[in-house]
Short mmCIF file of all heavy atoms in Angstrom, two decimals:
data_model
loop_
_atom_site.label_atom_id
_atom_site.label_comp_id
_atom_site.label_asym_id
_atom_site.label_seq_id
_atom_site.Cartn_x
_atom_site.Cartn_y
_atom_site.Cartn_z
N MET A 46 -7.63 11.07 5.19
CA MET A 46 -7.31 10.32 6.36
C MET A 46 -7.03 11.24 7.56
O MET A 46 -7.51 10.97 8.72
CB MET A 46 -6.15 9.36 6.12
CG MET A 46 -5.90 8.43 7.22
SD MET A 46 -7.24 7.25 7.36
CE MET A 46 -6.40 5.78 7.81
N CYS A 47 -6.34 12.29 7.32
CA CYS A 47 -6.01 13.27 8.39
C CYS A 47 -7.24 14.03 8.92
O CYS A 47 -7.14 14.52 10.03
CB CYS A 47 -4.92 14.22 7.88
SG CYS A 47 -3.33 13.44 7.69
N LYS A 48 -8.30 14.06 8.13
CA LYS A 48 -9.53 14.71 8.62
C LYS A 48 -10.43 13.76 9.37
O LYS A 48 -11.38 14.21 10.00
CB LYS A 48 -10.29 15.26 7.42
CG LYS A 48 -9.56 16.41 6.77
CD LYS A 48 -10.31 16.88 5.51
CE LYS A 48 -9.49 17.93 4.80
NZ LYS A 48 -10.04 18.25 3.49
N LEU A 49 -10.20 12.45 9.29
CA LEU A 49 -11.07 11.43 9.86
C LEU A 49 -10.43 10.83 11.13
O LEU A 49 -9.25 10.96 11.38
CB LEU A 49 -11.32 10.32 8.85
CG LEU A 49 -12.02 10.75 7.53
CD1 LEU A 49 -11.91 9.64 6.49
CD2 LEU A 49 -13.47 11.14 7.83
N GLN A 50 -11.28 10.17 11.89
CA GLN A 50 -10.83 9.47 13.11
C GLN A 50 -10.61 8.01 12.87
O GLN A 50 -10.21 7.29 13.80
CB GLN A 50 -11.89 9.69 14.23
CG GLN A 50 -12.05 11.13 14.65
CD GLN A 50 -10.76 11.74 15.11
OE1 GLN A 50 -10.07 11.17 15.96
NE2 GLN A 50 -10.48 12.91 14.61
N THR A 51 -10.88 7.49 11.69
CA THR A 51 -10.82 6.09 11.46
C THR A 51 -9.35 5.60 11.37
O THR A 51 -8.46 6.38 11.02
CB THR A 51 -11.52 5.67 10.14
OG1 THR A 51 -11.56 4.23 10.02
CG2 THR A 51 -10.87 6.31 8.94
N VAL A 52 -9.14 4.31 11.59
CA VAL A 52 -7.84 3.70 11.44
C VAL A 52 -7.85 2.74 10.20
O VAL A 52 -6.87 2.16 9.84
CB VAL A 52 -7.40 2.90 12.67
CG1 VAL A 52 -7.22 3.79 13.89
CG2 VAL A 52 -8.34 1.72 12.95
N LYS A 53 -9.03 2.62 9.55
CA LYS A 53 -9.24 1.67 8.49
C LYS A 53 -9.18 2.34 7.12
O LYS A 53 -9.84 3.37 6.86
CB LYS A 53 -10.59 0.98 8.62
CG LYS A 53 -10.67 0.16 9.94
CD LYS A 53 -11.95 -0.64 10.02
CE LYS A 53 -12.92 0.03 10.97
NZ LYS A 53 -14.16 -0.74 11.14
N PHE A 54 -8.41 1.71 6.22
CA PHE A 54 -8.22 2.25 4.86
C PHE A 54 -8.22 1.05 3.86
O PHE A 54 -7.56 0.06 4.10
CB PHE A 54 -6.90 2.96 4.72
CG PHE A 54 -6.54 3.30 3.30
CD1 PHE A 54 -7.31 4.21 2.54
CD2 PHE A 54 -5.43 2.70 2.73
CE1 PHE A 54 -6.96 4.46 1.23
CE2 PHE A 54 -5.11 2.98 1.40
CZ PHE A 54 -5.88 3.85 0.67
N VAL A 55 -9.01 1.14 2.81
CA VAL A 55 -9.10 0.18 1.78
C VAL A 55 -8.69 0.80 0.43
O VAL A 55 -9.23 1.81 0.03
CB VAL A 55 -10.49 -0.44 1.63
CG1 VAL A 55 -10.53 -1.33 0.40
CG2 VAL A 55 -10.85 -1.27 2.87
N ALA A 56 -7.74 0.18 -0.23
CA ALA A 56 -7.37 0.54 -1.61
C ALA A 56 -7.93 -0.53 -2.52
O ALA A 56 -7.51 -1.66 -2.54
CB ALA A 56 -5.87 0.64 -1.77
N ASP A 57 -8.98 -0.14 -3.24
CA ASP A 57 -9.60 -1.05 -4.24
C ASP A 57 -8.83 -0.88 -5.51
O ASP A 57 -9.02 0.08 -6.32
CB ASP A 57 -11.09 -0.65 -4.46
CG ASP A 57 -11.80 -1.61 -5.40
OD1 ASP A 57 -11.10 -2.30 -6.16
OD2 ASP A 57 -13.03 -1.57 -5.40
N ILE A 58 -7.88 -1.81 -5.75
CA ILE A 58 -6.94 -1.71 -6.87
C ILE A 58 -7.35 -2.59 -8.09
O ILE A 58 -6.52 -2.80 -8.95
CB ILE A 58 -5.53 -2.04 -6.40
CG1 ILE A 58 -5.36 -3.41 -5.92
CG2 ILE A 58 -5.05 -0.95 -5.39
CD1 ILE A 58 -3.90 -3.79 -5.55
N ARG A 59 -8.60 -3.04 -8.10
CA ARG A 59 -9.00 -3.93 -9.13
C ARG A 59 -8.97 -3.32 -10.52
O ARG A 59 -8.67 -4.08 -11.47
CB ARG A 59 -10.40 -4.46 -8.84
CG ARG A 59 -10.49 -5.33 -7.60
CD ARG A 59 -11.87 -5.74 -7.26
NE ARG A 59 -12.65 -4.59 -6.82
CZ ARG A 59 -13.94 -4.63 -6.52
NH1 ARG A 59 -14.57 -5.80 -6.55
NH2 ARG A 59 -14.60 -3.53 -6.16
N LYS A 60 -9.10 -2.07 -10.69
CA LYS A 60 -9.04 -1.43 -12.01
C LYS A 60 -7.91 -0.43 -12.16
O LYS A 60 -7.88 0.36 -13.07
CB LYS A 60 -10.35 -0.65 -12.20
CG LYS A 60 -11.58 -1.57 -12.28
CD LYS A 60 -12.86 -0.82 -12.53
CE LYS A 60 -14.05 -1.71 -12.52
NZ LYS A 60 -15.31 -1.02 -12.67
N MET A 61 -6.92 -0.52 -11.27
CA MET A 61 -5.83 0.38 -11.22
C MET A 61 -4.89 0.38 -12.43
O MET A 61 -4.42 1.36 -12.91
CB MET A 61 -4.99 0.17 -9.94
CG MET A 61 -3.79 1.00 -9.75
SD MET A 61 -3.02 0.71 -8.18
CE MET A 61 -2.40 -0.95 -8.38
N GLY A 62 -4.67 -0.83 -12.97
CA GLY A 62 -3.75 -0.97 -14.09
C GLY A 62 -2.30 -1.08 -13.58
O GLY A 62 -2.08 -1.36 -12.37
N VAL A 63 -1.40 -0.84 -14.45
CA VAL A 63 0.03 -0.95 -14.15
C VAL A 63 0.48 0.31 -13.38
O VAL A 63 0.23 1.44 -13.80
CB VAL A 63 0.89 -1.10 -15.40
CG1 VAL A 63 2.38 -1.17 -15.09
CG2 VAL A 63 0.47 -2.31 -16.20
N ILE A 64 1.17 0.14 -12.26
CA ILE A 64 1.67 1.24 -11.47
C ILE A 64 3.20 1.14 -11.46
O ILE A 64 3.74 0.12 -11.21
CB ILE A 64 1.14 1.14 -9.97
CG1 ILE A 64 -0.38 1.27 -9.98
CG2 ILE A 64 1.75 2.17 -9.13
CD1 ILE A 64 -0.91 2.56 -10.55
N SER A 65 3.79 2.29 -11.74
CA SER A 65 5.26 2.36 -11.88
C SER A 65 5.92 2.05 -10.52
O SER A 65 5.38 2.18 -9.46
CB SER A 65 5.71 3.76 -12.33
OG SER A 65 5.49 4.71 -11.35
N ILE A 66 7.18 1.68 -10.60
CA ILE A 66 8.01 1.45 -9.44
C ILE A 66 8.06 2.79 -8.59
O ILE A 66 7.95 2.78 -7.40
CB ILE A 66 9.45 1.05 -9.84
CG1 ILE A 66 9.39 -0.31 -10.62
CG2 ILE A 66 10.31 0.92 -8.57
CD1 ILE A 66 8.98 -1.47 -9.78
N GLU A 67 8.11 3.91 -9.32
CA GLU A 67 8.19 5.20 -8.63
C GLU A 67 6.90 5.47 -7.87
O GLU A 67 6.93 5.94 -6.71
CB GLU A 67 8.32 6.29 -9.74
CG GLU A 67 8.36 7.71 -9.25
CD GLU A 67 8.47 8.72 -10.36
OE1 GLU A 67 8.05 8.43 -11.51
OE2 GLU A 67 8.99 9.80 -10.06
N SER A 68 5.76 5.09 -8.40
CA SER A 68 4.50 5.28 -7.71
C SER A 68 4.39 4.32 -6.48
O SER A 68 3.93 4.70 -5.42
CB SER A 68 3.29 5.00 -8.63
OG SER A 68 3.24 5.99 -9.61
N GLN A 69 4.83 3.12 -6.67
CA GLN A 69 4.86 2.12 -5.57
C GLN A 69 5.71 2.66 -4.42
O GLN A 69 5.36 2.58 -3.26
CB GLN A 69 5.35 0.77 -6.04
CG GLN A 69 4.44 0.07 -7.01
CD GLN A 69 5.09 -1.15 -7.60
OE1 GLN A 69 5.75 -1.88 -6.90
NE2 GLN A 69 4.86 -1.40 -8.90
N LYS A 70 6.85 3.18 -4.81
CA LYS A 70 7.77 3.74 -3.81
C LYS A 70 7.12 4.94 -3.11
O LYS A 70 7.31 5.08 -1.89
CB LYS A 70 9.13 4.17 -4.49
CG LYS A 70 10.18 4.64 -3.56
CD LYS A 70 11.48 4.86 -4.30
CE LYS A 70 12.63 5.44 -3.56
NZ LYS A 70 12.48 5.58 -2.14
N TRP A 71 6.39 5.73 -3.80
CA TRP A 71 5.75 6.90 -3.22
C TRP A 71 4.76 6.47 -2.14
O TRP A 71 4.67 7.11 -1.10
CB TRP A 71 4.98 7.70 -4.29
CG TRP A 71 4.54 9.06 -3.77
CD1 TRP A 71 5.25 10.26 -3.87
CD2 TRP A 71 3.34 9.34 -3.11
NE1 TRP A 71 4.53 11.20 -3.28
CE2 TRP A 71 3.35 10.75 -2.79
CE3 TRP A 71 2.21 8.58 -2.75
CZ2 TRP A 71 2.27 11.34 -2.15
CZ3 TRP A 71 1.17 9.22 -2.06
CH2 TRP A 71 1.23 10.59 -1.78
N VAL A 72 4.03 5.40 -2.32
CA VAL A 72 3.12 4.85 -1.31
C VAL A 72 3.88 4.49 -0.05
O VAL A 72 3.50 4.87 1.05
CB VAL A 72 2.29 3.65 -1.84
CG1 VAL A 72 1.55 2.95 -0.73
CG2 VAL A 72 1.33 4.08 -2.93
N VAL A 73 4.96 3.76 -0.24
CA VAL A 73 5.73 3.22 0.89
C VAL A 73 6.46 4.39 1.62
O VAL A 73 6.55 4.38 2.83
CB VAL A 73 6.71 2.16 0.45
CG1 VAL A 73 7.63 1.74 1.57
CG2 VAL A 73 5.94 0.95 -0.05
N ASP A 74 6.96 5.38 0.87
CA ASP A 74 7.73 6.49 1.46
C ASP A 74 6.90 7.65 1.95
O ASP A 74 7.34 8.39 2.84
CB ASP A 74 8.70 7.05 0.42
CG ASP A 74 9.84 6.06 0.06
OD1 ASP A 74 9.96 5.06 0.79
OD2 ASP A 74 10.51 6.27 -0.94
#
Side-chain angles (χ1 to χ4, degrees):
M46 188 67 146
C47 289
K48 293 175 184 171
L49 299 167
Q50 297 301 312
T51 188
V52 297
K53 298 185 255 183
F54 170 66
V55 171
D57 181 343
I58 62 173
R59 294 176 293 177
K60 296 180 182 176
M61 177 177 68
V63 177
I64 296 300
S65 70
I66 300 293
E67 181 181 26
S68 294
Q69 294 171 39
K70 185 173 175 7
W71 192 92
V72 168
V73 173
D74 292 347

